[in-house]
Every structure is written in structure tokens, then in C-alpha cells.
């Protein structure tokens, strides 16, 4: 098996060491670790893929999906935290929110921009798990550059390209971040495809968790179709508040959002059929280009999900997406089983090449 598509990579991912995640107030080891991307690169290189270094892109590409205030915050959050002395007193070496401007507090007023560095974090972070350290911004920027470079290659005529994005992106929304994600890599790739190619773009998200950030960014946009298959949040899984099948888009984007929920324990048959259903939906809606938000945490054995998909299931899902025959950017999302992640990604990518070749 030799992969013919380019694999875009940024060395900067290593600068992001979350140092764990704070869950129910407890600092746990966390699973979104640098080794993930290294394992993926090793497996794709072994499968014969060409490696391409991500090239820097201007902020405009990010402003197409995020508010300037979020970008400005992320760019300086760590330095502000350090300048405020918080690593020494009280001894917190990552940016962690403590107070959240819950919509129910405000009687329709806009929350004030707080004077305290400690309070700023809650203005942008929607959970306590997504920590910011010294290299987080550079790494997140590198991941977005990888997605944009892959999209540039596809706009330039490559049939498909894969971006090894780390940190992942699909939980990051227009004004806020969480779920181990800071910048929405799949969304910036979709905007790049949309500006470079004609017609609607589909984002199909096969990560085990709902792509709530991507959904939010494009919720009222009829030109970016967003479909996600994920473990039913109604059975107790992240992101808990979103990802239900009744969420179908709004305004001009009514009908352009599609969620397919699967039960805990779902394996190859049910899951690949759900992916194929999203592929048919995108085809029928007239998609002219495709972004695959390729998380592999639906795998049996992944510590972050209760799904039970095998390497063969990822290959079959890749094939169903490749059969659409669309210009395609695959963007890495989750996947946390270090022993399996390389093979799972490689099978999904190889499947998409099988499908495109027919
Ligand atoms: C990109 C992606 O896959 N993000 C996944 C974020 C889901 N994280 C939810 C974590 C919920 C708490 N995990 C507790 C683990 C305890 N060991
Ligand atoms: Zn996930």
C-alpha cells in the first residue's frame, strides 16, 4: 500500500504540552499528548506518503471563522498569565478559567471585559480541560497552517491532501474554545476550499464526539454543509449540551446541518453506515468539495469514547467518503489510543484513496 496524497505536517505541534486536563476539578493526565501526532506521522511515512511542511498563513484565514477577540486572547493568554504571577501564586502553570459568564446572568447585557487576568480565561474557555501553556498558541497556529496548506494543495489541483493537525479543532467555535481545541482547523480548511473552488463545501466529521464548534461556525450558512456522526450526547457523552439530531441549521442555513447519533457500543456496521448516510446527504445537497474531520476516537479501545469501530471500519468509512469523488482535505481531530492511532489514520486515508480510484 502506497499513499499518494500529500501529508501536511507542522513541527510546532510539539510546543503544545497541555500538561493534563482539569476534569471535575481534578488535574488528570490527559490524552491529547504530543506522541499522538508523532505516531500518525510515522505510520503515514511508513505507508509511503509524501511529507509537506505547513506554510505560514495570514490571520485573515482565521478571521473567516473566529472572532478577532478570541484570536487576540489566545495569542497572549499565556504571557498575561505569567505576567500576573499566577504560576508562582497560587502555583498554576497553565491558564485555567474559574468564572464563566453564563448567559443567564446578564439580562441581555454584554458581559464586561474583566480587569483580572484570572477572569479573562472564562470569557473564552468553555471548559476547564483545555489548558493553555507556553507553546499552545504557536502549536494551534501551526495546526491551522497545516489545514490551510492542505486546502491550498487541493485548490491547486491535488485530488486530496491530509493535514496532521494537533491540537485538534472541531470543538472550537467562533468566539470560544474547549474540548482540547483552540482553533477550528476543519472550518478554516472549508473556508479556503470555498474561496478557491466553486459551489458548496461539505464538512463530514467522523470523530467520536460531536463537532460542535464547526456546527456553530456554519449554523446559518447554506454554503457549508456540516454533518457529524458521533456517540449520542443524550447517553452522557461530551459535548453533552449539543450534537442532537434535532439540530438542523437555522435561517438561510436551515437544513444544512446534520447530526447522526449512534449508541455506545456501536461497531463497524452501524458506524460505517452512518458515515455512508452523511456522504449521500452531502452528494444530494450538491457538495463540490469535502473536508473530512478525521478523528479516530470511535475505535474500540479508545479511552475517550465508548464506540467499537475497527481498522477495517475506518477503511470502509474512508472508502465511502472517497467515492464521492470530490476534492478532499482530511483534517486530523481526536484519537487517543497511542498503540492504534497510526494504523487507524492510515487505514482511513488509504480507504479514501481506494474510494476515489473506484
Ligand atoms: C477532539 C476531541 O476528540 N476532543 C475530545 C474532548 C472530549 N473530552 C471529554 C473528556 C471528558 C472527561 N474525560 C475524563 C477522562 C477521565 N480519565
Ligand atoms: Zn473526539
Amino acid at each position: 500500500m502506497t499513499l499518494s496524497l500529500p501529508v501536511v505536517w507542522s513541527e510546532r505541534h510539539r510546543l503544545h504540552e497541555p500538561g493534563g486536563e482539569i476534569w471535575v476539578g481534578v488535574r488528570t493526565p490527559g490524552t491529547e499528548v504530543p506522541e499522538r501526532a508523532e505516531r500518525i506521522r510515522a505510520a503515514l511515512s511508513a505507508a509511503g506518503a509524501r511529507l509537506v511542511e505547513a506554510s505560514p498563513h495570514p490571520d485573515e484565514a482565521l478571521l473567516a471563522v473566529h472572532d478577532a477577540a478570541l484570536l487576540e486572547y489566545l495569542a497572549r493568554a499565556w504571557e498575561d498569565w505569567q505576567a500576573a504571577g499566577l504560576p508562582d501564586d497560587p502555583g498554576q502553570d497553565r491558564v485555567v478559567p474559574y468564572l464563566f459568564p453564563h448567559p443567564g446572568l446578564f439580562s441581555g447585557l454584554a458581559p464586561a471585559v474583566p480587569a483580572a487576568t484570572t477572569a479573562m480565561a472564562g470569557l473564552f474557555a468553555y471548559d476547564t480541560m483545555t489548558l493553555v501553556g507556553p507553546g499552545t498558541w504557536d502549536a494551534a497556529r501551526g495546526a491551522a497552517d497545516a489545514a490551510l496548506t492542505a486546502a491550498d494543495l487541493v485548490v491547486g489541483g491535488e485530488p486530496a491532501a491530509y493535514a496532521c493537525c494537533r491540537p485538534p479543532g472541531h470543538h472550537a467555535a467562533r468566539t470560544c474554545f474547549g474540548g482540547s481545541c483552540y482553533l477550528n482547523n476543519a472550518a478554516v480548511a472549508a473556508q479556503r476550499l470555498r474561496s478557491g473552488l466553486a459551489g458548496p463545501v461539505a464538512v463530514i466529521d467522523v470523530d467520536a464526539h460531536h463537532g460542535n464548534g464547526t456546527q456553530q461556525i456554519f449554523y446559518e450558512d447554506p454554503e457549508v454543509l456540516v454533518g457529524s456522526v458521533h456517540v449520542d450526547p443524550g447517553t452522557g457523552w461530551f459535548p453533552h449540551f449539543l450534537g442532537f439530531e434535532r439540530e438542523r441549521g437555522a435561517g438561510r442555513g436551515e437544513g444544512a446541518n446534520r447530526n447522526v447519533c449512534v449508541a455506545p457500543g456501536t461497531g463497524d456496521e452501524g458506524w460505517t453506515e452512518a458515515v455512508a448516510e452523511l456522504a449521500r446527504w452531502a452528494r444530494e445537497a450538491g457538495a463540490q468539495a469535502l473536508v473530512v474531520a478525521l478523528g479516530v476516537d470511535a475505535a474500540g479501545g479508545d479511552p475517550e469514547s465508548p464506540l467499537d469501530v475497527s481498522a477495517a471500519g475506518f477503511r470502509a468509512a474512508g472508502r465511502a467518503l472517497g467515492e464521492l469523488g470530490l476534492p478532499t482535505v482530511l483534517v486530523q481531530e481526536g484519537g487517543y489510543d497511542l498503540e492504534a492511532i497510526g494504523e487507524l489514520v492510515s487505514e482511513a486515508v488509504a480507504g479514501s484513496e481506494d474510494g476515489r480510484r473506484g
Side-chain angles (χ1 to χ4, degrees), residues 31 41 77 85 120 159 161 226 232 242 254 279 311 322 333 337 343:
T31 50
R41 182 178 68 162
M120 275 297 277
V226 177
D232 185 354
L242 287 158
E254 179 86 50
E333 299 288 355
D337 179 349
E343 185 200 5

Side-chain angles (χ1 to χ4, degrees), residues 21 23 28-32 36 127 129 168-171 178-181 207-209 237-240 295 297 303-304 333-336:
E21 61 181 38
W23 186 63
T28 64
T31 50
E32 203 295 283
R36 297 177 56 247
D127 65 36
M129 303 182 296
H170 73 151
H171 297 304
S180 304
C181 301
D207 185 278
H209 306 98
W237 290 85
F238 187 88
H240 302 282
D297 44 6
E304 297 288 351
E333 299 288 355
Y336 306 98

